[in-house]
Amino acid sequence: MSGADAAPADRDPGLQPERTRLAWRRTTLSGTVAAVLAAKTVLHEGPTPASVLAAALCCVLWLAFLRVAHGRIRTLASAHRPPALTPPHAAAAVLCTVALAVCGAFLVL
């Protein structure tokens, strides 16, 4: 039997799901730090309506990212061969991350 006729072997994911799960946890921790620093900036520099709104938006974005990340972490932990991240979940994670960075930049400037 030639190599082209042979059935493909099951891929052994090894530690890939665990590494990906840990990466999601690290990213969530980074978002937590950004949200806490946003709140600290507002409290330290004196609250203005715009800065309070930006800090509140940072917290909401962090919570949204936390929901997406926690769902992905659970999926990676529960399945031997976890499914790929769906495009809507990936888009939500990217949107939350970019928006959190924009709000943080607004607070710093």
Side-chain angles (χ1 to χ4, degrees):
M1 209 180 205
S2 68
D5 295 335
D10 285 337
R11 183 176 91 68
D12 179 17
L15 295 177
Q16 175 75 38
E18 182 178 355
R19 287 193 308 266
T20 304
R21 192 172 64 244
L22 291 172
W24 277 100
R25 288 186 188 269
R26 284 190 305 270
T27 306
T28 303
L29 181 60
S30 298
T32 304
V33 170
V36 168
L37 288 176
K40 182 182 177 210
T41 299
V42 170
L43 294 174
H44 182 68
E45 295 181 1
T48 63
S51 65
V52 170
L53 180 64
L57 187 57
C58 283
C59 291
V60 169
L61 290 166
W62 171 72
L63 288 172
F65 182 80
L66 188 64
R67 181 172 181 190
V68 171
H70 186 66
R72 187 63 185 160
I73 288 167
R74 280 195 325 233
T75 300
L76 289 168
S78 67
H80 173 67
R81 189 174 181 151
L85 183 63
T86 61
H89 287 107
V94 169
L95 179 67
C96 289
T97 303
V98 171
L100 187 61
V102 169
C103 288
F106 174 78
L107 286 171
V108 171
L109 299 176

